[in-house]
Amino acid sequence: MKKKGKIKMVILGIVIFLVVGMGGALLFTEGERREGKNLPIDNVDFKRLDDGTYIGEYEGGKYKWRANKAKVTIKSNKITDIEIIEDKVSNTTEIKNKLFQRVIEKQSLQVDTISGATITSKAYLKSIENALKKTKEK
């Protein structure tokens, strides 16, 4: 009986440790997540884009976890290609492909973010926006 009681106490201790640890992690990252969810994506007049290739970057928020740099290609005043050339987030190929396809199809930054990757999607959109703003700096 004593052995079962010790095992239960160890399991309970592990569960409490995990719950407290996860709660702490959520509190620690709350500012970064809130900043990312509220990141404004400005309207860009896609009808006035100058042809060329432009680089834009997003610093990545409070902890720089989502910092990235985008290369945007414009031909005939339309975005034809978007590529992330620097990225702090790994394993996001599917997210990037879906998001960039939406931007290219709609020729707009006002697209739905990828479910489950809202903050990362907004970080990519911000770097694209910053690249597009450079079309007027020529």
Side-chain angles (χ1 to χ4, degrees):
M1 202 65 160
K2 282 187 170 187
K3 191 173 185 178
K4 283 185 178 181
K6 286 182 180 182
I7 291 173
K8 285 181 182 179
M9 290 302 289
V10 168
I11 291 172
L12 180 62
I14 291 171
V15 169
I16 289 171
F17 177 77
L18 290 174
V19 169
V20 169
M22 290 175 66
L26 286 173
L27 286 173
F28 177 74
T29 62
E30 174 59 27
E32 176 87 3
R33 288 182 286 120
R34 183 177 40 250
E35 180 181 346
K37 284 183 359 186
N38 295 325
L39 183 65
I41 305 300
D42 295 337
N43 283 321
V44 175
D45 187 354
F46 275 59
K47 294 177 181 165
R48 295 181 181 222
L49 298 177
D50 295 328
D51 289 359
T53 300
Y54 302 91
I55 305 292
E57 60 187 303
Y58 172 59
E59 295 293 326
K62 184 176 181 179
Y63 299 113
K64 313 293 185 225
W65 290 336
R66 290 177 178 82
N68 71 84
K69 189 180 287 186
K71 180 170 79 170
V72 180
T73 304
I74 301 168
K75 291 182 184 169
S76 301
N77 304 101
K78 292 185 178 197
I79 292 180
T80 58
D81 188 48
I82 303 168
E83 179 183 348
I84 296 296
I85 54 177
E86 288 181 22
D87 198 356
K88 294 277 184 171
V89 180
S90 60
N91 300 323
T92 59
T93 302
E94 186 177 338
I95 293 166
K96 288 184 268 194
N97 290 342
K98 285 181 181 179
L99 184 67
F100 299 165
Q101 188 62 38
R102 290 175 184 178
V103 171
I104 292 169
E105 284 175 4
K106 287 191 169 188
Q107 291 295 304
S108 173
L109 297 177
Q110 305 307 313
V111 296
D112 291 337
T113 56
I114 305 303
S115 179
T118 301
I119 299 169
T120 301
S121 296
K122 289 188 116 181
Y124 292 144
L125 290 171
K126 194 63 170 179
S127 64
I128 296 166
E129 173 193 322
N130 291 335
L132 296 178
K133 286 180 177 179
K134 291 182 178 182
T135 68
K136 298 301 165 202
E137 296 175 7
K138 280 171 69 173

